[in-house]
Amino acid sequence: MSSHAYPADLKSVKNEVTYPAANDGQTAEWLEALDQVIDADGPQEASQLLLALLNRAAQAGVATPLQHNTPYINTIPPDQQVAFPGDRVLEQRIESLIRSNALAMVARANKYDENIGGHMSSFASLATLLEVGFNHFFRGSIGDLAGDLIYFQGHSSPGIYARAYLEGRLTQQHLFNFRHELREQPGLSSYPHPWLMPEFWQFPTVSMGLGPINAIYQARFIKYLENRGMVPVSDRKVWAFLGDGEQDEPESRGALTVATREGLDNLIFVINCNLQRLDGPVRGNGRIIQELEANFLGAGWNVIKCLWGSNWDDLLARDTSGLLLRRMSECVDGEYQAFKALGGAYLREHFFGKYPELLKSVEGMSDDDLATLSRGGHDPVKIYNAYKRATEHQGAPTVILAKTIKGYGLGDAAEGRNFAHNTKKLKDEQLAYIVKRFEMDVPEEKIDHLELHHPGPESDEIKYLKQRREELGGYLPSRNSHKELAFAAPALDIFKDVLEGTKGRAASTTSGFNAVLNALLKQKELAKYIVPIIPDEGRTFGMEALFRQIGIYASHGQLYTPVDSNQFLYYRESQDGQLIEEGITEAGSMATFTAAGTAYANFGMPMIPFFVYYSMFGFQRVGDLAWAFADARGKGFMVGGTAGRTTLLGEGLQHEDGHSHVLASTIPTCAAYDPAYAYEIAVIIQDGLRRMYEAKEDLFYYLTVYNENYVQPPMPNDVEPGILKGLYRFKSAETAEAIVHLFGSGPILNEAVRAQHILKAKYSIDADVWSATSYSELRRDALACERWNRLHPAGPSRTPYLLQVLEGHDGPIVAASDYMKIMVDGLAPWLPGRITALGTDGFGRSENREYLRRHFEVDAESITVAAISSLARIQKVPLEMVADAMADLGVDPNKPDAARA
């Protein structure tokens, strides 16, 4: 029997490999022949032989069994391992110091600040996986090029801080202020948050599921930049350390085939399979590792299982009958959890004791010996070999399924216990056990008082630790905002055609946005940085010209002749294409937006993403990713197309967006605008480029654009400040001073203009029309002024821009938009009794714009009635005029409220 494979004689186990009985003579001959091939020519040749046999069987009509899994053992057998290159003793001492300080940091925080929180058990299970990476694989730089990008498992942050303390990058005071970010001394954020620690953390990962999808699209973005010639081709890797419970999030596994389709051999997932989520087992009645292996193998990933530590090797080598492997394969995860939590005697009785032959195989081992049988994710040799093979693999991404124990080494305080995630404090005897377990060289008094321990810069441990990081190109995690990047925003006059309007021709604001984008793409120095991103609606948004103009990115080029190749604007895919068309995945598109929008930090390159999508399927679908984008200090433009609950006609309830601006307003760094005209879009985008890339402000933009065609007017004089601040007077009353003011945004501004005409023509009421480009920006400015005045009562008060621009313009205000009334209501505190909100609260309908706007009461007639009603309430017009106007204009006061209809 070959030494390259673990022998086995197993019955079929659900979701497991089915092994044939070896007592059949013919089968035995085949197995012997296979062993000879392995010994003579190696595993690769044997694999090719098996593939050839399967193909021949298929040609002959033989049904071949579909194998979802490999055996429940390490992918790399002992005879294929290379020697561990590091100093095992020193690395163990460093790891013990990090474990000690991480525990002390969390326990101390909760001792002096009850229930401040923090996590011990996740890092306890992950520590060795990370330390092998830090000492041998994670590169801070690659020569003159940027180094690896690492997505750290969010709950492991205490260990990352503890290592940075030994490295000298964080002080003792930092660690004492863990989860105390608002004290006089500097503190540490609970989890990886670039917004809170902008020179340390690169990626926010603790919202589970976001790390995997962002890592995939980050790795793809590296290939995108390489294929476009923007960065040199390098061996840069993207590592993502993930939890096994986290894999139940749709974002975790939803994009796996993207990584294989794109050939992302620069991507490595390390899934920390400690078999537990927050409350209990991930798959108590199953095997999460085998489930994940089947998923990743099916998606085409290179799968490396790292399940058993080196002290299992001898037992497996002596398992000539395959009984041990059979026992390993039949146990479910709930049992494996108990095997570690309940000690060596329990393991002997309940694991080995099921079969007398297995029990006999460990009769020379004590219960303590059995208790120390380790799992692969805690064995540096096994981990090193898994990482080495992963980094050398070509043509596909790799996932390492590392079996670990949650709360590893914490004994009855957490190890393998269902409450492990909530362990935040340790008793004295528990601390003593941990110190003994890891042979921690930490003074006893420091342990007793939960103090940190640093052996000093001249100690062997610290010199070794720093030497390894120096050889690997620098410290990680580390984030560089590249404030030195030179960038000059283009002048507004490059949008001259847009600013002059359409000269009587009807056009949508979507086409206006496209004109702005095209103007940017004509700027030689700027164009290369622009990254248009579209899920799958390019033609809907009138962007098909980009297919030919800049090409659609395709990592393998275009391997076919497109069906429309005889047309000028054919579907052109190219390896150096600039447009990223993701397909129908807003989450994937948002992950690409994130990679591009943080490229200034990760690549030192001011990439400018424009993510254009169906507005309804934006924030409500990718809200968590958008929040993480803000946390990551992302920059760029999100553009919600086919926007508006009444402007997108015909599509109905699921498609008509009337609330994306409400959702956008919840993100502190998102500047959201609802422009009515193309010139407003030009002003907003030009200033956005200036603020984000020239002035280096950490914010991003959301713009809504529409598919309604109407004449785009030329830009009036001196309106740029008002456009950016959120409000300006668009059209004054023609013959007298206005007694009522009509706010409009998006296409509803045209309804306000029409209402202005009706008011004057039918009722002799003069009104001003105002373009409200951003209610959220108006509110933020007003809140900032209010706060200043509250905290500085003795100083000169500040006046919100809203009140400045309305100074001298008295009278009621009717504000209408294609969005929910809550947007307008946010201004009410500064306009008490003056403002009436009209909006699109409620579900959409399949109808044309005329009927939709009447249904939601945002058409010109409803605006007119609201204006007259507001004037009647302050006795500026007779009360009877309201009823007359409703009758004249066909506004039914008894129709159902659209908000509940």
Side-chain angles (χ1 to χ4, degrees):
M1 184 66 70
S2 169
S3 62
H4 292 275
Y6 295 106
D9 181 11
L10 301 181
K11 295 179 180 178
S12 176
V13 179
K14 185 179 180 182
N15 241 11
E16 298 287 348
V17 174
T18 303
Y19 294 88
N23 56 4
D24 177 82
Q26 188 178 42
T27 302
E29 290 178 12
W30 277 91
L31 291 176
E32 184 178 353
L34 178 62
D35 288 338
Q36 290 172 356
V37 172
I38 296 172
D39 288 330
D41 302 314
Q44 187 66 32
E45 186 65 29
S47 178
Q48 293 297 320
L49 176 62
L50 290 173
L51 182 60
L53 286 171
L54 286 171
N55 288 336
R56 176 59 63 86
Q59 290 170 356
V62 177
T64 55
L66 180 63
Q67 303 289 8
H68 296 289
N69 288 114
T70 61
Y72 200 67
I73 52 174
N74 295 336
T75 300
I76 305 172
D79 66 339
Q80 292 183 19
Q81 293 176 179
V82 299
F84 187 79
D87 186 323
R88 289 282 303 276
V89 174
L90 266 181
E91 290 190 23
Q92 180 58 53
R93 279 157 51 185
I94 292 168
E95 183 179 318
S96 293
L97 281 168
I98 293 171
R99 286 179 180 274
S100 170
N101 286 331
L103 291 172
M105 180 179 67
V106 176
R108 180 186 179 92
N110 285 273
K111 178 178 180 179
Y112 296 109
D113 197 341
E114 187 75 17
N115 295 323
I116 194 65
H119 301 280
M120 297 178 174
S121 298
S122 292
F123 176 70
S125 67
L126 192 64
T128 311
L129 288 163
L130 288 176
E131 279 305 292
V132 172
F134 276 122
N135 288 321
H136 301 283
F137 292 95
F138 304 158
R139 296 163 299 180
S141 60
I142 306 170
D144 295 330
L145 304 178
D148 297 330
L149 298 173
I150 307 175
Y151 291 76
F152 291 99
Q153 191 175 354
H155 292 95
S156 70
S157 60
I160 309 301
Y161 293 143
R163 170 171 254 273
Y165 168 63
L166 293 184
E167 293 168 338
R169 298 198 295 145
L170 295 177
T171 67
Q172 176 175 272
Q173 193 61 51
H174 279 110
L175 271 65
F176 281 174
N177 273 342
F178 173 59
R179 294 195 170 211
H180 288 160
E181 297 180 80
L182 301 176
R183 310 297 167 97
E184 292 181 1
Q185 299 295 327
L188 300 175
S189 63
S190 52
Y191 304 116
H193 292 300
W195 185 261
L196 302 174
M197 298 178 66
E199 296 180 358
F200 191 84
W201 292 116
Q202 290 175 290
F203 309 109
T205 55
V206 79
S207 184
M208 287 184 278
L210 302 194
I213 192 170
N214 276 327
I216 288 172
Y217 284 89
Q218 182 72 254
R220 200 278 298 272
F221 195 69
I222 292 176
K223 298 282 190 180
Y224 167 84
L225 292 177
E226 290 177 348
N227 284 325
R228 286 190 57 205
M230 301 287 287
V231 299
V233 176
S234 74
D235 188 38
R236 192 180 199 187
K237 303 294 184 187
V238 175
W239 296 76
F241 287 83
L242 314 168
D244 49 356
E246 180 179 10
Q247 299 309 303
D248 286 338
E249 291 284 0
E251 295 91 343
S252 291
R253 290 188 260 180
L256 295 184
T257 56
V258 172
T260 47
R261 186 169 67 243
E262 298 288 328
L264 300 182
D265 49 14
N266 59 342
L267 175 65
I268 300 170
F269 276 13
V270 181
I271 301 184
N272 177 19
C273 299
N274 60 34
L275 313 184
Q276 290 180 243
R277 53 187 177 214
L278 278 62
D279 287 336
V282 178
R283 296 288 186 274
N285 298 307
R287 286 169 292 279
I288 185 60
I289 289 172
Q290 298 300 83
E291 177 186 319
L292 293 175
E293 180 188 36
N295 287 164
F296 280 89
L297 282 176
W301 285 55
N302 175 42
V303 179
I304 299 174
K305 284 155 63 170
C306 183
L307 310 186
W308 310 106
S310 298
N311 49 9
W312 283 93
D313 288 347
D314 181 61
L315 288 171
L316 284 163
R318 291 189 282 112
D319 181 37
T320 56
S321 67
L323 192 59
L324 176 57
L325 181 52
R326 175 180 179 177
R327 183 69 182 122
M328 288 173 164
S329 298
E330 67 189 12
C331 290
V332 296
D333 288 351
E335 293 176 292
Y336 276 118
Q337 184 183 349
F339 293 153
K340 271 302 175 185
L342 302 180
Y346 184 91
L347 180 66
R348 183 188 302 276
E349 178 183 354
H350 294 276
F351 180 79
F352 293 100
K354 181 172 182 179
Y355 300 110
E357 301 94 319
L358 272 188
L359 188 60
K360 186 175 181 180
S361 71
V362 295
E363 61 184 8
M365 300 176 70
S366 68
D367 289 347
D368 287 342
D369 291 335
L370 294 181
T372 59
L373 286 172
S374 65
R375 295 184 178 171
H378 301 302
D379 187 317
V381 174
K382 302 296 183 184
I383 296 167
Y384 179 86
N385 278 275
Y387 287 2
K388 185 175 186 296
R389 183 167 292 191
T391 56
E392 294 171 351
H393 188 76
Q394 295 183 351
T398 293
V399 60
I400 297 168
L401 303 175
K403 192 173 186 181
T404 63
I405 303 160
K406 191 158 189 175
Y408 176 68
L410 302 186
D412 63 6
E415 189 164 16
R417 310 290 172 142
N418 281 335
F419 54 77
H421 188 77
N422 298 105
T423 298
K424 307 179 192 310
K425 297 181 180 180
L426 296 170
K427 300 175 183 176
D428 291 344
E429 60 272 20
Q430 291 169 335
L431 276 170
Y433 168 82
I434 295 166
V435 169
K436 181 179 178 182
R437 171 79 172 268
F438 292 107
E439 300 177 349
M440 292 178 175
D441 187 18
V442 180
E444 185 175 341
E445 66 274 10
K446 287 193 172 184
I447 294 170
D448 292 343
H449 294 92
L450 297 176
E451 295 181 13
L452 305 176
H453 180 61
H454 194 296
E458 297 304 314
S459 65
D460 291 342
E461 294 89 346
I462 301 304
K463 287 195 289 187
Y464 181 90
L465 176 149
K466 289 188 173 183
Q467 178 190 4
R468 295 306 306 140
R469 291 315 311 158
E470 182 179 347
E471 292 179 6
L472 287 167
Y475 294 112
L476 290 171
S478 178
R479 183 179 178 278
N480 187 343
S481 295
H482 290 283
K483 296 290 188 181
E484 77 285 355
L485 280 177
F487 184 95
L492 187 61
D493 61 14
I494 72 164
F495 308 116
K496 180 175 180 291
D497 291 344
V498 175
L499 301 178
E500 290 177 349
T502 54
K503 300 178 174 64
R505 178 177 57 85
S508 68
T509 53
T510 301
S511 65
F513 163 74
N514 289 334
V516 169
L517 185 60
N518 279 315
L520 292 172
L521 287 169
K522 292 176 182 176
Q523 306 304 304
K524 184 177 179 181
E525 295 303 317
L526 180 67
K528 62 184 177 182
Y529 297 120
I530 293 173
V531 185
I533 304 163
I534 309 172
D536 191 33
E537 294 275 359
R539 297 183 193 278
T540 301
F541 305 136
M543 302 179 74
E544 60 268 33
L546 296 182
F547 298 168
R548 175 70 182 270
Q549 180 182 348
I550 59 176
I552 301 164
Y553 174 71
S555 58
H556 304 295
Q558 193 156 29
L559 306 179
Y560 66 98
T561 301
V563 68
D564 56 357
S565 60
N566 61 339
Q567 300 177 22
F568 181 70
L569 299 179
Y570 71 93
Y571 195 81
R572 183 174 76 88
E573 297 185 84
S574 172
Q575 193 173 41
D576 63 354
Q578 190 167 351
L579 168 66
I580 299 179
E581 183 155 286
E582 291 292 5
I584 305 173
T585 167
E586 284 80 12
S589 301
M590 189 68 203
T592 292
F593 183 67
T594 299
T598 55
Y600 73 93
N602 297 322
F603 299 90
M605 193 168 293
M607 305 306 291
I608 306 167
F610 286 88
F611 173 23
V612 189
Y613 58 92
Y614 220 121
S615 70
M616 184 66 162
F617 307 127
F619 284 98
Q620 76 172 26
R621 179 166 287 186
V622 298
D624 200 10
L625 284 160
W627 186 263
F629 180 78
D631 187 348
R633 297 173 176 259
K635 306 171 190 285
F637 297 91
M638 295 178 69
V639 182
T642 54
R645 188 152 284 160
T646 70
T647 305
L648 177 61
L649 70 169
E651 288 295 296
L653 186 150
Q654 188 61 52
H655 288 67
E656 292 171 349
D657 165 36
H659 53 275
S660 66
H661 274 283
V662 179
L663 300 176
S665 72
T666 66
I667 300 177
T669 66
C670 180
Y673 289 87
D674 186 24
Y677 300 124
Y679 68 78
E680 294 177 345
I681 295 173
V683 169
I684 294 163
I685 288 179
Q686 189 273 339
D687 194 63
L689 292 172
R690 180 193 64 79
R691 291 181 65 188
M692 291 186 290
Y693 296 96
E694 185 176 315
K696 307 294 190 295
E697 292 185 50
D698 292 324
L699 75 159
F700 69 103
Y701 283 72
Y702 176 55
L703 285 77
T704 38
V705 296
Y706 300 81
N707 65 354
E708 181 176 359
N709 293 322
Y710 46 84
V711 173
Q712 300 292 324
M715 184 170 73
N717 293 328
D718 304 321
V719 297
E720 294 98 315
I723 292 172
L724 299 173
K725 291 178 180 294
L727 184 69
Y728 67 95
R729 186 163 55 169
F730 173 71
K731 189 176 183 183
S732 301
E734 292 183 2
T735 59
E737 185 175 340
I739 61 170
V740 66
H741 302 275
L742 310 179
F743 288 7
S745 59
I748 304 303
L749 180 58
N750 295 317
E751 298 294 326
V753 171
R754 195 158 65 86
Q756 180 192 44
H757 174 74
I758 295 171
L759 284 166
K760 182 64 175 176
K762 282 183 170 287
Y763 307 103
S764 300
I765 294 174
D766 291 289
D768 283 348
V769 176
W770 302 72
S771 179
T773 55
S774 180
Y775 287 109
S776 56
E777 289 298 293
L778 288 170
R779 177 173 170 79
R780 286 172 178 174
D781 171 72
L783 286 170
C785 290
E786 181 185 79
R787 177 181 179 273
W788 172 270
N789 296 339
R790 183 176 72 249
L791 298 177
H792 302 84
S797 63
R798 294 180 176 178
T799 303
Y801 171 79
L802 173 67
L803 298 184
Q804 292 179 40
V805 75
L806 288 175
E807 185 176 2
H809 301 287
D810 300 325
I813 299 167
V814 176
S817 80
D818 223 351
Y819 288 86
M820 294 176 66
K821 300 181 183 75
I822 194 172
M823 295 303 299
V824 174
D825 290 342
L827 305 184
W830 297 275
L831 299 168
R834 285 190 65 184
I835 195 162
T836 298
L838 301 181
T840 57
D841 299 51
F843 289 122
R845 294 291 197 278
S846 298
E847 255 299 351
N848 66 23
R849 294 185 184 111
E850 177 186 355
Y851 282 86
L852 285 170
R853 289 173 180 167
R854 176 56 57 90
H855 172 71
F856 284 104
E857 300 164 13
V858 294
D859 60 345
E861 290 76 12
S862 297
I863 294 171
T864 300
V865 168
I868 295 172
S869 180
S870 298
L871 290 168
R873 285 199 301 272
I874 59 172
Q875 300 179 349
K876 290 290 185 179
V877 299
L879 192 60
E880 296 79 13
M881 186 183 289
V882 182
D884 292 343
M886 285 191 283
D888 291 344
L889 301 174
V891 174
D892 181 3
N894 298 313
K895 82 174 188 63
D897 183 353
R900 294 176 174 81

mmCIF file of all heavy atoms in Angstrom, residues 822-840:
data_model
loop_
_atom_site.group_PDB
_atom_site.id
_atom_site.type_symbol
_atom_site.label_atom_id
_atom_site.label_comp_id
_atom_site.label_asym_id
_atom_site.label_seq_id
_atom_site.Cartn_x
_atom_site.Cartn_y
_atom_site.Cartn_z
ATOM 1 N N ILE A 822 -40.445 62.270 4.735
ATOM 2 C CA ILE A 822 -39.515 62.423 5.857
ATOM 3 C C ILE A 822 -38.278 63.216 5.448
ATOM 4 O O ILE A 822 -37.638 63.859 6.279
ATOM 5 C CB ILE A 822 -39.118 61.028 6.415
ATOM 6 C CG1 ILE A 822 -38.439 61.178 7.769
ATOM 7 C CG2 ILE A 822 -38.260 60.261 5.429
ATOM 8 C CD1 ILE A 822 -38.204 59.856 8.461
ATOM 9 N N MET A 823 -37.935 63.209 4.153
ATOM 10 C CA MET A 823 -36.797 63.994 3.703
ATOM 11 C C MET A 823 -37.044 65.480 3.940
ATOM 12 O O MET A 823 -36.174 66.197 4.442
ATOM 13 C CB MET A 823 -36.528 63.743 2.216
ATOM 14 C CG MET A 823 -36.098 62.322 1.880
ATOM 15 S SD MET A 823 -34.624 61.807 2.793
ATOM 16 C CE MET A 823 -33.432 63.006 2.224
ATOM 17 N N VAL A 824 -38.223 65.940 3.582
ATOM 18 C CA VAL A 824 -38.577 67.349 3.782
ATOM 19 C C VAL A 824 -38.808 67.642 5.262
ATOM 20 O O VAL A 824 -38.408 68.701 5.782
ATOM 21 C CB VAL A 824 -39.832 67.708 2.972
ATOM 22 C CG1 VAL A 824 -40.300 69.126 3.283
ATOM 23 C CG2 VAL A 824 -39.560 67.532 1.477
ATOM 24 N N ASP A 825 -39.429 66.700 5.958
ATOM 25 C CA ASP A 825 -39.747 66.913 7.374
ATOM 26 C C ASP A 825 -38.501 67.196 8.211
ATOM 27 O O ASP A 825 -38.594 67.826 9.274
ATOM 28 C CB ASP A 825 -40.456 65.674 7.943
ATOM 29 C CG ASP A 825 -41.860 65.511 7.386
ATOM 30 O OD1 ASP A 825 -42.395 66.500 6.847
ATOM 31 O OD2 ASP A 825 -42.416 64.400 7.480
ATOM 32 N N GLY A 826 -37.342 66.731 7.732
ATOM 33 C CA GLY A 826 -36.106 66.986 8.466
ATOM 34 C C GLY A 826 -35.768 68.454 8.590
ATOM 35 O O GLY A 826 -34.965 68.848 9.450
ATOM 36 N N LEU A 827 -36.379 69.311 7.776
ATOM 37 C CA LEU A 827 -36.127 70.761 7.844
ATOM 38 C C LEU A 827 -37.124 71.487 8.729
ATOM 39 O O LEU A 827 -36.955 72.685 9.003
ATOM 40 C CB LEU A 827 -36.181 71.366 6.432
ATOM 41 C CG LEU A 827 -35.255 70.758 5.368
ATOM 42 C CD1 LEU A 827 -35.393 71.548 4.070
ATOM 43 C CD2 LEU A 827 -33.812 70.747 5.840
ATOM 44 N N ALA A 828 -38.157 70.801 9.160
ATOM 45 C CA ALA A 828 -39.251 71.448 9.891
ATOM 46 C C ALA A 828 -38.810 72.211 11.137
ATOM 47 O O ALA A 828 -39.357 73.290 11.427
ATOM 48 C CB ALA A 828 -40.313 70.403 10.244
ATOM 49 N N PRO A 829 -37.833 71.718 11.920
ATOM 50 C CA PRO A 829 -37.454 72.478 13.128
ATOM 51 C C PRO A 829 -36.975 73.893 12.843
ATOM 52 O O PRO A 829 -37.087 74.768 13.706
ATOM 53 C CB PRO A 829 -36.331 71.623 13.728
ATOM 54 C CG PRO A 829 -36.606 70.240 13.240
ATOM 55 C CD PRO A 829 -37.139 70.424 11.852
ATOM 56 N N TRP A 830 -36.452 74.137 11.670
ATOM 57 C CA TRP A 830 -35.934 75.470 11.335
ATOM 58 C C TRP A 830 -36.944 76.304 10.552
ATOM 59 O O TRP A 830 -36.710 77.489 10.304
ATOM 60 C CB TRP A 830 -34.634 75.324 10.540
ATOM 61 C CG TRP A 830 -33.583 74.662 11.378
ATOM 62 C CD1 TRP A 830 -32.733 75.252 12.270
ATOM 63 C CD2 TRP A 830 -33.323 73.259 11.457
ATOM 64 N NE1 TRP A 830 -31.946 74.313 12.884
ATOM 65 C CE2 TRP A 830 -32.280 73.076 12.400
ATOM 66 C CE3 TRP A 830 -33.847 72.131 10.816
ATOM 67 C CZ2 TRP A 830 -31.770 71.812 12.712
ATOM 68 C CZ3 TRP A 830 -33.341 70.884 11.130
ATOM 69 C CH2 TRP A 830 -32.314 70.720 12.063
ATOM 70 N N LEU A 831 -38.052 75.679 10.193
ATOM 71 C CA LEU A 831 -39.107 76.397 9.455
ATOM 72 C C LEU A 831 -40.451 76.109 10.129
ATOM 73 O O LEU A 831 -41.376 75.588 9.508
ATOM 74 C CB LEU A 831 -39.131 75.930 7.992
ATOM 75 C CG LEU A 831 -37.850 76.169 7.190
ATOM 76 C CD1 LEU A 831 -37.887 75.403 5.865
ATOM 77 C CD2 LEU A 831 -37.641 77.666 6.948
ATOM 78 N N PRO A 832 -40.559 76.392 11.397
ATOM 79 C CA PRO A 832 -41.771 76.008 12.149
ATOM 80 C C PRO A 832 -43.030 76.606 11.557
ATOM 81 O O PRO A 832 -43.129 77.813 11.327
ATOM 82 C CB PRO A 832 -41.492 76.556 13.554
ATOM 83 C CG PRO A 832 -40.475 77.636 13.374
ATOM 84 C CD PRO A 832 -39.623 77.199 12.220
ATOM 85 N N GLY A 833 -43.976 75.723 11.259
ATOM 86 C CA GLY A 833 -45.266 76.152 10.750
ATOM 87 C C GLY A 833 -45.265 76.586 9.302
ATOM 88 O O GLY A 833 -46.312 76.922 8.751
ATOM 89 N N ARG A 834 -44.098 76.581 8.647
ATOM 90 C CA ARG A 834 -44.031 77.127 7.286
ATOM 91 C C ARG A 834 -44.094 76.049 6.206
ATOM 92 O O ARG A 834 -44.569 76.310 5.107
ATOM 93 C CB ARG A 834 -42.720 77.902 7.085
ATOM 94 C CG ARG A 834 -42.673 79.255 7.764
ATOM 95 C CD ARG A 834 -41.440 80.032 7.299
ATOM 96 N NE ARG A 834 -41.474 80.359 5.871
ATOM 97 C CZ ARG A 834 -40.485 80.955 5.218
ATOM 98 N NH1 ARG A 834 -39.371 81.276 5.868
ATOM 99 N NH2 ARG A 834 -40.594 81.228 3.929
ATOM 100 N N ILE A 835 -43.590 74.858 6.502
ATOM 101 C CA ILE A 835 -43.314 73.922 5.419
ATOM 102 C C ILE A 835 -44.326 72.782 5.374
ATOM 103 O O ILE A 835 -44.691 72.204 6.403
ATOM 104 C CB ILE A 835 -41.871 73.378 5.530
ATOM 105 C CG1 ILE A 835 -41.449 72.696 4.222
ATOM 106 C CG2 ILE A 835 -41.685 72.469 6.728
ATOM 107 C CD1 ILE A 835 -39.942 72.535 4.089
ATOM 108 N N THR A 836 -44.796 72.486 4.184
ATOM 109 C CA THR A 836 -45.683 71.346 3.934
ATOM 110 C C THR A 836 -44.942 70.374 3.035
ATOM 111 O O THR A 836 -44.440 70.759 1.974
ATOM 112 C CB THR A 836 -46.978 71.801 3.242
ATOM 113 O OG1 THR A 836 -47.681 72.701 4.100
ATOM 114 C CG2 THR A 836 -47.851 70.605 2.917
ATOM 115 N N ALA A 837 -44.862 69.132 3.464
ATOM 116 C CA ALA A 837 -44.124 68.123 2.712
ATOM 117 C C ALA A 837 -45.077 67.321 1.830
ATOM 118 O O ALA A 837 -46.100 66.808 2.298
ATOM 119 C CB ALA A 837 -43.394 67.189 3.670
ATOM 120 N N LEU A 838 -44.735 67.201 0.572
ATOM 121 C CA LEU A 838 -45.433 66.306 -0.350
ATOM 122 C C LEU A 838 -44.418 65.285 -0.846
ATOM 123 O O LEU A 838 -43.321 65.648 -1.278
ATOM 124 C CB LEU A 838 -46.015 67.077 -1.529
ATOM 125 C CG LEU A 838 -47.025 68.179 -1.218
ATOM 126 C CD1 LEU A 838 -47.516 68.816 -2.517
ATOM 127 C CD2 LEU A 838 -48.196 67.639 -0.414
ATOM 128 N N GLY A 839 -44.780 64.019 -0.780
ATOM 129 C CA GLY A 839 -43.826 62.986 -1.176
ATOM 130 C C GLY A 839 -44.506 61.685 -1.520
ATOM 131 O O GLY A 839 -45.740 61.611 -1.620
ATOM 132 N N THR A 840 -43.701 60.659 -1.691
ATOM 133 C CA THR A 840 -44.219 59.405 -2.248
ATOM 134 C C THR A 840 -44.187 58.281 -1.229
ATOM 135 O O THR A 840 -43.693 57.180 -1.509
ATOM 136 C CB THR A 840 -43.421 59.032 -3.510
ATOM 137 O OG1 THR A 840 -42.027 58.945 -3.189
ATOM 138 C CG2 THR A 840 -43.625 60.054 -4.606
#
